[in-house]
Amino acid sequence: MKNKSVTIIILFVLLCFFIPSNAQKITPFKDGERAVFLGNSITHGGHYHSYIWLYYMTHFPEMRIKILNAGIGGDRAIDMVKRLDGDVFSKNPTVIIATFGMNDSGYFEYNGDQPEKFANEKVKESYDAYKQMEARFKNLENTKVVLMGSSPYDETAAIEGNNPFRNKNKAMLRIVDFQRESAKNNGWEFFDFNEPMTAINQQFQQNNPKFTLCGTDRIHPDNDGHMVMAYLFLKAQGFAGKEVADINIDGSKMNIISSSNCEISNLKKSSTGMTFDYLAKSLPYPMDTIARGWGYKKSQAEVVKSVPFIEEMNREILSVKGLKGNYKLMIDEENIGTWPAKDLAEGINLATLTNTPQYQQALRVMFLNEERWEIECRFREYAWVQFNFFLNKGITDPNTREAIKILDKYKGSDGWLNGRRDLYSKAMFPEVRQAWQDEMDLLLSAIYEVNTPVKRKITLIRVN
């Protein structure tokens, strides 16, 4: 436990170096904005953008934004350029967050005879393709651009049966460098995942060589890695230190010392303790304990082992001073637990207690958002076939029986294509796609119905 605490402290210092706690490198989303995340498979099947949206859903319940997935597995910058009109600009973004580099930098040749020559060629290819993307972005009106350095390729983790591609990540960092320079020259915003995630990997690998945020293939972060990405992004938006709520009461004098992001009323002393009404302006951030998504083995909740998300962004503190003995905490007549007066004086973080009514309310938001994510993933599978297969075949109208015949001709030699054949046979019909969209809209409406904080009755009862 002591070693883990020391590691977290060291990480906190490292992360403050990469992203000062009061720094805002990415403008927070505003009410009504549509943020489109353009990327490769890490975006396509990943959770980081969904976890970011969940933060806004719970911490800013009155804000109406949309975060849209525009990732396609296997994409390089040149592939993204080809689908800007049909898959990105068509989503009417007010903000585009673009990330690439993992596929651009290549793979197997790093362990070949001329790795440096290969790296130079791939970086140049990526740069030349990006200049086309940059030109398109420059012509956008009323759309903010954020360039985002890719999550890293982890060369240092000890993964059985997976020999790393040596110095691949160095080539990726060269791609990050020209993204950073482009953002500076164009007055765009920039943020890099690569360096802080690499720092976390290497810090934890000192004690556990198998540790990685980048998945067993060294490429695709698991759910905990995606939550680290969400944490880093939100930190770059300036949310470190923003509490869910903070309640500070003097129990001996029965007065409210201070309150933040909430309203406290009807503070009353009883024969066994005290009661008061509590209306927060935010909900706690819920943590999923299930490993969701194809091939994922870790849960979102495991992020607490890696970064100080709870300490920085998920604090719902109840502090009551001037008490003696032990007290049972009731919220809306639900028994939450019992704490000694000393712990109550120091403050307990309600956001870490999964049995509070407000946490259970937040879980509803999380599960609704997860269902929305699942349906959005179907759209990304449809887009993969549309842009990674049909577009390369010169087929401009892929939603026909003739197009399906062409798909069937090639599916036997392409396992990825074959795996998406059944879904495409449904998605090719506009009525099916519209039904999926209607379901997502319904889920989003439900989210914004259940995410509004409600007034809670808090009771402290002395038990001894």
Side-chain angles (χ1 to χ4, degrees), residues 54 57-58 361-369 447 450-451:
L54 181 60
M57 290 170 176
T58 52
Q361 182 182 356
L363 279 178
R364 299 179 191 177
V365 176
M366 183 192 79
F367 288 128
L368 287 165
N369 187 45
I447 286 169
V450 304
N451 77 331

Side-chain angles (χ1 to χ4, degrees), residues 37 172 175 178 193 243 266-267 295 313 332 338 355 360 384 390 401 431:
F37 282 77
M172 291 179 65
I175 293 173
F178 73 65
F193 280 132
E243 67 276 350
N266 296 324
L267 177 60
M313 299 184 198
D332 292 349
T338 300
N355 60 337
Q360 291 295 308
W384 186 95
F390 284 126
R401 291 305 304 168
E431 296 85 356

Side-chain angles (χ1 to χ4, degrees), residues 85-153:
D85 289 311
D87 192 36
V88 181
F89 300 159
S90 60
K91 291 178 168 53
N92 300 315
T94 60
V95 185
I96 291 176
I97 302 98
T99 181
F100 57 89
M102 184 65 74
N103 300 311
D104 298 67
S105 52
Y107 294 97
F108 294 96
E109 287 83 353
Y110 287 99
N111 292 345
D113 296 331
Q114 296 180 299
E116 291 186 13
K117 179 175 180 291
F118 176 73
N120 290 337
E121 289 173 352
K122 300 309 288 185
V123 171
K124 185 179 185 305
E125 285 178 11
S126 183
Y127 177 79
D128 291 344
Y130 169 69
K131 295 305 287 184
Q132 298 179 51
M133 184 186 295
E134 180 187 53
R136 297 298 308 279
F137 285 171
K138 285 182 177 181
N139 290 328
L140 292 174
E141 295 181 0
N142 303 316
T143 303
K144 292 180 289 186
V145 175
V146 180
L147 298 182
M148 198 159 64
S150 172
S151 58
Y153 176 79

